[in-house]
C-alpha cells in the first residue's frame, strides 16, 4: 500500500515473545483444561460424554489466543496511510525552493538543469509541504507551501527564458520572501537553486534572518551559464549556508532531499505526524474480537 507507515513500531517487538508462546502451544500435548491431571481416564471420558467437559482442545482452538494477540499487537503498532484531508497545522515542516531565473540561468543550459533539480527535490521531499519562489531582479511567489507536489511539478516544467520580467539577480529578495513564509514554521528548510550570481551583503543579512528563525538554508549549484552571461560563481553560495545546511551540485538534488528529510525526521513532532496519517490500528485491533468470541462462546 502506497505511503503505509507505522506510527508506533515498537509494539512489534511483542511479536518475539508471541512467536515463542505460539511455538510452545503447538508443541505441547492437547489437554482438557487441566482436569486430566486430577481425574482418572474413565472419569474424564464419562464427564466428556455427559457434556460437563468440552473435551480436549484441537490445534486450531489452541491457536485462537495467539491470533487474538497478533491482531492486537499489529493494531497497536499503528499502521497508517496518508490523509487526503491533511490539516494545515501539519505544515510545521515546510520547505521552500527558490529558483534563480536571472538571464544567466534562464537563457542557457542551466534552466533545464534547474528544472531537473527542482523535480528531484519535489520527489525527495514528498510528504512535506513545499513552496516555490522564482527570482531575478525581484522575487515572486509561484506557489505557497502545499502538500501536493504535482502542482509544483507542473509549474517547474513550464519555466522558460521569458517567464520572469525584468533583469538582474537578487537572491536577497527570494530569501526575504522565504523568511516571511516560514515566520511561524518551527522547522523550515530553504533550498536555493542558483549559479551564485547576485550574492552581496544584503543576501548574507537575509540568510542570517532565516537562521534566526531556525530555518535551514541549503543550495544546489548551477555551473553552465548562458554564453553571453556573467561567469557563474557557485562557490559564493557556500557563504549562505546556515543551520547545518548543505551545498551540492544540481544533479545531486535527490541526495540533498534525502539528507534534509533524514535530518528533519529526527525532530518531527509525533503529534503532527499523526495528524498527517489515518491510523488503521483500531480497525486491525478490533479483529482480535473474532477469535475471542470463538473462545468465549457458550456450548449448548
Amino acid at each position: 500500500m502506497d505511503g503505509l507507515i507505522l506510527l508506533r513500531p515498537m509494539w512489534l517487538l511483542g511479536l518475539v515473545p508471541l512467536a515463542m508462546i505460539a511455538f510452545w502451544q503447538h508443541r505441547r500435548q492437547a489437554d482438557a483444561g487441566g482436569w486430566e491431571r486430577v481425574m482418572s481416564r474413565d472419569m474424564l471420558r464419562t464427564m466428556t460424554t455427559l457434556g460437563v467437559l468440552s473435551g480436549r482442545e484441537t490445534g486450531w482452538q489452541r491457536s485462537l489466543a495467539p491470533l487474538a494477540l497478533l491482531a492486537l499487537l499489529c493494531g497497536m503498532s499503528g499502521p497508517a496511510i496518508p490523509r487526503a484531508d491533511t490539516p494545515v497545522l501539519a505544515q510545521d515542516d515546510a520547505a521552500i525552493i527558490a529558483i534563480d531565473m536571472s538571464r544567466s540561468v534562464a537563457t542557457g543550459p542551466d534552466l533545464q538543469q534547474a528544472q531537473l533539480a527542482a523535480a528531484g527535490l519535489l520527489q525527495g521531499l514528498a510528504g512535506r509541504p513545499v513552496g516555490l519562489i522564482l527570482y531575478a531582479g525581484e522575487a515572486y511567489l509561484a506557489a505557497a507551501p502545499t502538500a501536493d507536489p504535482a502542482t509544483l511539478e507542473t509549474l517547474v516544467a513550464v519555466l522558460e527564458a521569458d517567464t520572469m520580467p525584468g533583469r538582474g539577480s537578487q537572491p536577497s529578495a527570494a530569501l526575504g520572501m522565504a523568511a516571511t513564509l516560514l515566520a511561524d514554521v518551527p522547522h523550515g528548510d530553504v533550498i536555493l537553486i542558483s549559479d551564485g550570481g547576485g550574492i552581496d551583503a544584503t543576501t548574507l543579512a537575509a540568510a542570517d534572518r532565516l537562521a534566526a528563525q531556525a530555518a535551514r538554508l541549503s543550495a544546489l549549484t548551477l555551473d553552465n551559464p548562458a554564453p553571453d552571461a556573467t561567469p557563474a560563481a557557485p562557490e559564493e553560495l557556500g557563504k549562505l549556508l546556515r543551520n547545518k545546511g548543505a551545498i551540492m551540485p544540481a544533479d545531486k538534488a535527490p541526495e540533498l532531499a534525502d539528507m534534509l528529510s533524514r535530518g528533519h525526521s529526527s525532530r518531527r513532532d509525533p503529534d503532527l505526524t499523526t495528524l498527517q496519517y489515518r491510523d488503521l490500528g483500531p480497525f486491525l485491533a478490533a479483529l482480535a474480537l473474532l477469535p475471542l468470541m470463538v473462545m468465549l462462546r457458550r456450548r449448548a
Side-chain angles (χ1 to χ4, degrees):
M1 184 179 296
D2 185 36
L4 181 68
I5 68 166
L6 296 178
L7 298 175
R8 300 172 293 274
M10 294 299 292
W11 279 95
L12 293 182
L13 293 176
L15 293 177
V16 177
L18 177 60
M20 297 173 63
I21 293 173
F23 180 75
W24 174 77
Q25 284 276 75
H26 175 73
R27 292 295 301 271
R28 76 181 179 89
Q29 295 294 324
D31 57 36
W35 288 107
E36 74 281 357
R37 292 193 294 271
V38 296
M39 288 184 178
S40 66
R41 182 176 301 176
D42 292 337
M43 181 178 292
L44 183 64
R45 184 181 304 112
T46 301
M47 297 290 283
T48 303
T49 303
L50 293 175
V52 178
L53 290 177
S54 60
R56 297 177 180 272
E57 291 182 318
T58 61
W60 71 268
Q61 288 175 320
R62 283 179 286 152
S63 66
L64 291 175
L67 284 175
L69 289 173
L70 176 63
L72 284 173
L73 287 173
C74 292
M76 292 301 293
S77 68
I81 56 177
R83 295 179 51 175
D85 56 343
T86 303
V88 175
L89 183 61
Q91 295 189 0
D92 79 310
D93 59 341
I96 304 296
I97 299 174
I99 302 179
D100 184 351
M101 290 295 293
S102 60
R103 304 302 294 178
S104 60
V105 173
T107 61
D110 272 345
L111 177 58
Q112 183 178 9
Q113 193 176 19
Q115 289 172 304
L116 292 174
L121 287 174
L122 291 173
Q123 293 179 8
L125 296 173
R128 295 179 62 180
V130 182
L132 179 64
I133 293 175
L134 305 176
Y135 74 91
E138 297 181 43
Y140 297 86
L141 179 62
T146 174
D148 182 12
T151 302
L152 301 185
E153 288 172 357
T154 301
L155 289 173
V156 170
V158 298
L159 294 178
E160 297 179 348
D162 57 353
T163 297
M164 294 290 291
R167 295 179 176 273
S169 180
Q170 292 293 330
S172 58
L175 297 185
M177 182 175 291
T180 301
L181 292 172
L182 299 178
D184 299 318
V185 176
H187 308 302
D189 274 299
V190 178
I191 305 99
L192 196 64
I193 304 177
S194 171
D195 62 358
I199 295 177
D200 54 18
T202 305
T203 310
L204 297 177
D208 290 336
R209 177 186 173 189
L210 280 168
Q213 296 177 192
R216 179 171 45 182
L217 180 56
S218 302
L220 290 171
T221 61
L222 306 171
D223 55 9
N224 293 297
D228 57 345
T230 303
E235 66 280 356
E236 291 293 307
L237 292 169
K239 300 177 181 179
L240 301 179
L241 304 188
R242 299 291 188 277
N243 291 338
K244 299 182 179 180
I247 180 170
M248 296 183 183
D251 59 359
K252 299 293 185 182
E255 287 85 346
L256 177 61
D258 180 65
M259 188 208 76
L260 297 181
S261 297
R262 283 188 284 105
H264 168 79
S265 60
S266 64
R267 63 188 185 190
R268 177 184 286 273
D269 188 334
D271 294 332
L272 294 173
T273 300
T274 303
L275 287 175
Q276 296 185 66
Y277 289 88
R278 191 176 303 280
D279 190 354
L280 303 179
F283 304 102
L284 189 57
L287 295 178
L289 293 176
L290 297 178
L292 289 176
M293 290 173 64
V294 176
M295 292 171 61
L296 298 176
R297 77 187 192 284
R298 298 182 62 181
R299 297 180 180 271

